[in-house]
Amino acid sequence: MAEARKPLISGNWKMHHNHFEALQTVQKLSYLLDSEDHDAVDVSVHPPFTDLRTVQTAIETDRMEIILGAQHCHWEEKGAFTGEVAPPMLAKLNVAYVIVGHSERRELFGETDDQVNRKVKAVLAQAMTPILCVGETLEEREAGRTEDKVAGQVRAGLAGVSAEAVAGMVVAYEPIWAIGTGRTASAADAQAVCALVRSTVGELAGAEAAGAVRAQYGGSVKPANAAELMAEADIDGALVGGASLDPEDFAAIVRYRRAS
Ligand code: PGA
């Protein structure tokens, strides 16, 4: 039997919050959460690059249990890549989780499956954990291609990654039509695709990795729908955009178990 998977709820701040705002946000979030919350759920925040050092210092100085994450990175360790940030630079800031292949990176900045795979490996090489994002467009869903798209992205993203490494990873299922739209996948639909993510991981890396990998759902997660999504067997957490900018809302999502 696989051990119970501890949920991971991650706040993806995207291109919001300068470093002062980031500091206030993480301080307020930390104040709102207690040790019971942290025992039950891993909580990560993913500020913009310019905020990372500030948030790291706050977390370490105040011994917050919030985990530091990044939104993106390059796959090379260093080099002539103007504007990019290398995985070892993130590791040096004690970043633990790196979002890889977010649909905004794929759709707006042309990130390919091959690049996403290189980034997954580069993040793992620095002993950080990738949050590999996958998900279909509305057009693909309506054409009945959700399974093909998601399984294909999981296979491509994890190609050549050891079963042991896959077991420690996070895969975020984020239907593109649900991101920032206020339209959430139904809990049943999100569960079905997260189960598909897990079975695809099983084909690639074996039953043990499939039982251990954490599957997040992302796309308009809010305090009002978090509990229902989190109740599903194969949903082990949430990747939250808009609602993570407000510490009250994000804390309410983290505390989904306490919602009445
Ligand atoms: P949203 O974003 O919660 O604002 O829909 C989710 C994401 O893109 O990670």
Side-chain angles (χ1 to χ4, degrees):
M1 266 288 286
E3 279 188 36
R5 298 177 294 268
K6 187 174 181 187
L8 170 66
I9 298 190
S10 304
N12 173 13
W13 294 355
K14 307 191 180 184
M15 200 169 73
H16 297 284
H17 290 336
N18 62 39
H19 71 287
F20 289 115
E21 294 159 339
L23 179 61
Q24 288 167 347
T25 305
V26 77
Q27 281 172 333
K28 185 146 188 215
L29 179 63
S30 163
Y31 172 78
L32 291 168
L33 298 176
D34 60 27
S35 57
E36 211 182 303
D37 297 316
H38 292 293
D39 286 345
V41 178
D42 286 335
V43 180
S44 66
V45 294
H46 300 249
F49 287 137
T50 52
D51 305 351
L52 284 175
R53 176 67 174 153
T54 304
V55 176
Q56 179 213 3
T57 304
I59 287 174
E60 291 176 6
T61 308
D62 293 348
R63 297 177 199 275
M64 296 177 190
E65 291 183 73
I66 294 165
I67 307 169
L68 188 59
Q71 300 175 16
H72 164 64
C73 66
H74 197 267
W75 58 84
E76 292 289 348
E77 288 193 6
K78 59 181 161 187
F81 301 101
T82 301
E84 290 293 325
V85 169
M89 298 170 180
L90 300 177
K92 196 79 181 162
L93 293 168
N94 292 342
V95 165
Y97 291 98
V98 185
I99 298 170
V100 175
H102 190 279
S103 63
E104 284 152 18
R105 301 294 325 168
R106 296 180 190 256
E107 304 270 310
L108 304 175
F109 302 99
E111 243 176 55
T112 64
D113 275 337
D114 176 59
Q115 291 172 343
V116 169
N117 178 242
R118 290 192 207 196
K119 290 178 187 202
V120 165
K121 291 173 177 161
V123 167
L124 288 167
Q126 300 303 318
M128 298 182 292
T129 301
I131 299 178
L132 169 65
C133 297
V134 298
E136 81 287 1
T137 62
L138 187 57
E139 205 184 10
E140 288 162 341
R141 171 157 286 261
E142 285 173 349
R145 286 169 37 218
T146 299
E147 283 78 10
D148 279 357
K149 171 79 177 288
V150 169
Q153 285 181 326
V154 171
R155 282 192 204 103
L158 299 180
V161 178
S162 74
E164 197 192 350
V166 171
M169 278 185 56
V170 182
V171 179
Y173 166 54
E174 297 207 300
I176 294 170
W177 48 270
I179 295 178
T181 57
R183 226 182 124 178
T184 322
S186 70
D189 284 348
Q191 159 59 25
V193 183
C194 287
L196 170 80
V197 165
R198 197 174 305 287
S199 63
T200 308
V201 167
E203 285 162 26
L204 288 166
E208 209 172 308
V213 72
R214 289 188 286 181
Q216 290 180 320
Y217 167 78
S220 300
V221 176
K222 298 184 265 306
N225 58 27
E228 192 192 352
L229 289 158
M230 293 297 295
E232 296 291 344
D234 286 294
I235 300 180
D236 311 312
L239 183 51
V240 185
S244 74
L245 295 173
D246 176 348
E248 305 261 0
D249 278 352
F250 190 53
I253 291 170
V254 170
R255 304 183 121 194
Y256 66 92
R257 303 170 324 287
R258 302 181 181 204
S260 50

